Amino acid sequence: MKKLVSIEEAISKIEDGMTIMIGGFLACGSPNKMIDALLQKGVKDLTIIGNDTGFIDRGIGKLVVSGQAKKVIVSHIGTNKETGRLMNEGKLEVVLVPQGTLAEQVRAGGAGLGGVLTPIGVGTPIAEGKDHLIIDGKTFLLEKALRADVALIFGSKVDEKGNVYYHESTRNFNPLMATAADFVIVEAEEVVKVGELDPHLIMTPGLFVKQIVKA
Amino acid sequence: MKKLVSIEEAISKIEDGMTIMIGGFLACGSPNKMIDALLQKGVKDLTIIGNDTGFIDRGIGKLVVSGQAKKVIVSHIGTNKETGRLMNEGKLEVVLVPQGTLAEQVRAGGAGLGGVLTPIGVGTPIAEGKDHLIIDGKTFLLEKALRADVALIFGSKVDEKGNVYYHESTRNFNPLMATAADFVIVEAEEVVKVGELDPHLIMTPGLFVKQIVKA
Amino acid sequence: MDAKEIIARRVAKEFKDGDVVNLGIGLPTLVPNYIDEDVEIILHSENGFTGIGPAPEADQIDPNLVNAGGMPVTIIPGGVFFDSAMSFTIIRGGHLDATVLGALQVDEEGNLANWMIPGKLVPGMGGAMDLVGGAKKVIVAMTHTAKGDLKILKKCTLPLTGAKKVSKIITEMGVMEVTPEGLVLTEYNPEYTLEQIKEATEADLIIPENIREMC
Amino acid sequence: MDAKEIIARRVAKEFKDGDVVNLGIGLPTLVPNYIDEDVEIILHSENGFTGIGPAPEADQIDPNLVNAGGMPVTIIPGGVFFDSAMSFTIIRGGHLDATVLGALQVDEEGNLANWMIPGKLVPGMGGAMDLVGGAKKVIVAMTHTAKGDLKILKKCTLPLTGAKKVSKIITEMGVMEVTPEGLVLTEYNPEYTLEQIKEATEADLIIPENIREMC
């Protein structure tokens, strides 16, 4: 199975209205070439799941500025003023989620679990309308699992079978998102031969990855 | 903080009646020196959480044969006939849990989550008496988080701050258990200086580890 | 060819290039010997890696590298080591194309029992419940009867491993698919008559017009 | 010393050797400058590592290594990289000894608001809800008032980040502990009179007999 494809071929998988997970944390470890390709393709009405909406000119934020996102599910929007502006104008739906809850929701989606039972957010506005479970006397919120049609992740070194190594703080949400979408595309900073990566250093097994594009 | 201690000092933390997690999979990646020290100390009425009860002469199984376990929470007992015999004689309580559920329960205990919502086991005897949650039309069992007083784990290379690298298939439950106990002791095949391990190869951050003993 | 070889050879035809497969202990481990050269499958070992290679030579045995049955194995280039949580994320999350397991009993609704005989034998489920519940395709590979006792039943009488999860049953007598209408014998081994196969099967077998010889 | 330095210097005294600490952006990042040389703390960065080191020289900036505020940092020997799930396992699972954060409002019940001003400013909670909910000790470090507006209230009016989670409030005026009886002013800065401090605080302050000067 040949996984390495052109950006054009990979981007052809993404259609209007899809839910897309995009890796990275304030654009560190984000698949920037794929984001640019999405801009160029002009695909719209996207629901984007990511840690944050980055900056107006970097990371996920570009897709907010371009108006291609109809909804974002993120933990933070403070570094991109356009997100707040579009939200206040009613042009963008913003769901804010505690970062650790978001990580677990994505992980649960990838792990076949129904949701997450977390104590985080109890007694705050984000608990409103959500199921509260009392387990052994402690209260937990039920936060549902998240999945996406496509996940766009960024890998520092990727072998031809799709095994991914993430360098330093680029890892963040990438390995979680790689498990939680129907179609996973990794943007590889460097593509290496099978066998070149230490099997202990591979953080995303290639079985999760459908396509590889070069950064 | 000096974490490297003698086995005698580490073992002194373990008392009758405690709940102990022990890493390893059919004794591969088990802390065998610590298990032998527990045998020698003769501490009893233990509740042991592990993947399996190993063999009569290897791994967790030794503590079953010696009669020091009053209860085991494991996924498999078929390789140790003594477990079944003691269970049938009413001398040992055995709680059998699907391996993946056990892994998530331990992880949830370490991650501050209330439990696991898993589809595994629905419609089987293990679902009896457990809460069933229907989420978006699919049925999940609520399996509670697991924690222990002490976790005994095995690491292939451990630095003096307690950062752990697990080699090959010794990893299994070890990194999960390292997060889910009040006191974590790692048995190190090799102790190395701080800085010798690639920070990407460390699978258990040292902050989880209280003490290190040499294997 | 003995019964086991017939079964393993037929199971091997179930896979397409790139499939991720978990093989249970015993008979299923014979399957790789019969897979077409141009079909490359990824073998998953639930104790924590993908890329199971051939058994090592006696002088090459590595105690840190065993399969889920505790037997020494090797890992092929492109293989990946991970912990038990990731291992079962792969299984439970729907990332496993197929699992091949033996059974004590299987029935026409696709129920499977293979983890205990109350009062007699209780090995535990290990990873079997997760495999049966999580794999996209659950293939039961076993001899059609056990010392004359029927194993393919109208309704399992032993405690279930999974409810309505089996996709296909492959024995030395034939191939049966679980369908909403019941068990369909899609292929038969011409060494047996259809009458012999029906007699060896408690479940009703639907014999389609286009039944083929097993190959 | 300006207010920020006074606060950071006092916060630095909260830690003991080996503590695992997460410092919020802004003022809290000044704290490491004031920690005793014989106290070694482990700094946690919620985007995915422990062992935050000093900021790099301009020509040493590594785009793959940033802190949770997106700023270039370094990692010290013994530091560890991990993904967002592990990062919040550390936070939510009770493995973080302390977190130091700023606040828009904090009240005498230990409630904290710092993630949004409805209709005006909605940066999102990022990791703050997890930090407030998960850390063993939640230290609010901030200037006592904001341009004359009181921030230490009887009851927060802004949406909460965490309910009843704050342990201690440290400002340039003093140190307040949250107790079941209310806010206890345990230390005060002698540059201010107790009357001035009370006037700058909407919450009732309990002044114990053994109140000390802030150091």
Side-chain angles (χ1 to χ4, degrees), chain A residues 75 77 99-100 168-169 171-172, chain D residues 62 64 84 92 122-123 126 130:
Chain A
S75 75
I77 60 172
Q99 203 169 109
E168 296 178 339
S169 60
R171 199 178 330 178
N172 54 70
Chain D
D62 173 352
N64 291 327
S84 296
R92 196 193 313 101
V122 188
D130 302 272

Side-chain angles (χ1 to χ4, degrees), chain A residues 62-76:
Chain A
K62 286 175 156 184
L63 294 165
V64 170
V65 172
S66 69
Q68 291 171 264
K70 72 167 181 200
K71 179 176 177 179
V72 293
I73 303 173
V74 294
S75 75
H76 199 263

Side-chain angles (χ1 to χ4, degrees), chain B residues 75-86:
Chain B
S75 75
H76 199 262
I77 60 173
T79 52
N80 184 336
K81 283 180 184 167
E82 278 299 289
T83 311
R85 193 182 66 76
L86 291 166

Side-chain angles (χ1 to χ4, degrees), chain C residues 197-210:
Chain C
I197 299 172
K198 282 183 181 178
E199 267 170 42
T201 312
E202 186 197 281
D204 289 325
L205 286 180
I206 300 169
I207 315 286
E209 283 190 19
N210 61 346

Side-chain angles (χ1 to χ4, degrees), chain B residues 18-40:
Chain B
M18 274 190 168
T19 296
I20 303 182
M21 289 181 182
I22 304 181
F25 191 111
L26 290 175
C28 178
S30 284
N32 290 314
K33 277 239 173 138
M34 286 297 291
I35 289 171
D36 286 344
L38 283 176
L39 280 166
Q40 211 174 349

Side-chain angles (χ1 to χ4, degrees), chain A residues 25-26 28 75-78 87 96-101 103-104 118-120 123-126 167-173 175-176, chain D residues 46-47 62-66 68-70 81-85 88 92 115 122-127 129-130 133 159-163:
Chain A
F25 191 111
L26 291 175
C28 177
S75 75
H76 199 263
I77 60 172
M87 175 178 72
L96 286 166
V97 185
Q99 203 169 109
T101 299
E104 286 295 323
T118 179
I120 302 303
T124 77
I126 67 145
H167 195 56
E168 296 178 339
S169 60
T170 63
R171 199 178 330 178
N172 54 70
F173 279 76
L176 306 171
Chain D
E46 66 260 39
N47 57 323
D62 173 352
N64 291 327
L65 185 48
V66 299
F81 293 110
F82 36 75
D83 67 18
S84 296
F88 286 85
R92 196 193 313 101
W115 71 285
V122 188
M125 67 292 281
M129 283 197 181
D130 302 272
L160 296 186
T161 307

Side-chain angles (χ1 to χ4, degrees), chain A residues 5-113:
Chain A
V5 300
S6 67
I7 288 193
E8 291 68 33
E9 186 176 338
I11 212 79
S12 72
K13 295 293 180 300
I14 300 173
E15 295 164 14
D16 290 356
M18 275 189 168
T19 296
I20 302 182
M21 290 182 181
I22 304 181
F25 191 111
L26 291 175
C28 177
S30 285
N32 290 316
K33 277 238 172 138
M34 286 297 290
I35 289 171
D36 285 343
L38 283 175
L39 280 166
Q40 209 173 351
K41 182 171 178 177
V43 63
K44 59 183 194 297
D45 294 331
L46 301 175
T47 295
I48 298 178
I49 301 172
N51 177 64
D52 54 73
T53 54
F55 307 95
I56 57 168
D57 56 354
R58 209 148 48 90
I60 294 172
K62 286 175 156 184
L63 294 165
V64 170
V65 172
S66 69
Q68 291 171 264
K70 72 167 181 200
K71 179 176 177 179
V72 293
I73 303 173
V74 294
S75 75
H76 199 263
I77 60 172
T79 52
N80 184 336
K81 284 180 187 169
E82 279 299 291
T83 311
R85 192 182 66 77
L86 290 167
M87 175 178 72
N88 290 337
E89 288 180 7
K91 291 178 180 161
L92 176 70
E93 185 183 351
V94 176
V95 179
L96 286 166
V97 185
Q99 203 169 109
T101 299
L102 187 63
E104 286 295 323
Q105 286 179 295
V106 173
R107 184 182 179 278
L113 303 170

